[in-house]
Amino acid sequence: MTTEYDRHPVKQGFAAGTTFAAAILLLTVSILTVLQGISAISKDALFVAGPEYIYKFDLTTWGWIVTIVGVLGALIAIGMFSGAVWARVGAIVIAALSIIANFLWLPYYPWWSVLVIAIDIVVIWAVASWRTD
């Protein structure tokens, strides 16, 4: 149920603008994620893991996971520019998967992972709060 506050023009304008900004951020982060994944796949020695974690996996495996999430994110971001409903739903799903993947990526790139998690939270908020009616 939407309230009068949810339909307020200023809030909706901000959410719509933030959604397009989120599409740009999602596209940018996705491209960087693909490059990061390719780097992890091709040169395992580039990344140095910190302390041992319970969910330790092979770096090449993480590289493939990150690359696939990045490609899907880029495709969804392109769809978001048209305002497609599937792209909005996909953006929330891929941002949630990105949060999980970057949480698991913390041993390799802690500051980058925290930054991407924060951006993914903004993407989820913007897409979820924008009403197209």
Side-chain angles (χ1 to χ4, degrees), residues 63-92:
W64 279 109
I65 291 170
V66 168
T67 302
I68 291 168
V69 169
V71 168
L72 290 174
L75 293 173
I76 290 169
I78 291 168
M80 282 178 61
F81 287 116
S82 67
V85 175
W86 67 265
R88 292 177 63 200
V89 171
I92 293 171

Side-chain angles (χ1 to χ4, degrees), residues 37-110:
I38 291 170
S39 178
I41 292 167
S42 66
K43 300 216 184 233
D44 286 346
L46 180 66
F47 297 98
V48 177
E52 295 295 319
Y53 288 89
I54 254 178
Y55 47 84
K56 183 178 178 178
F57 290 101
D58 180 43
L59 186 58
T60 304
T61 305
W62 278 121
W64 279 109
I65 291 170
V66 168
T67 302
I68 291 168
V69 169
V71 168
L72 290 174
L75 293 173
I76 290 169
I78 291 168
M80 282 178 61
F81 287 116
S82 67
V85 175
W86 67 265
R88 292 177 63 200
V89 171
I92 293 171
V93 170
I94 203 72
L97 288 174
S98 177
I99 288 172
I100 294 168
N102 278 288
F103 176 75
L104 297 173
W105 192 257
L106 277 170
Y108 302 104
Y109 261 136

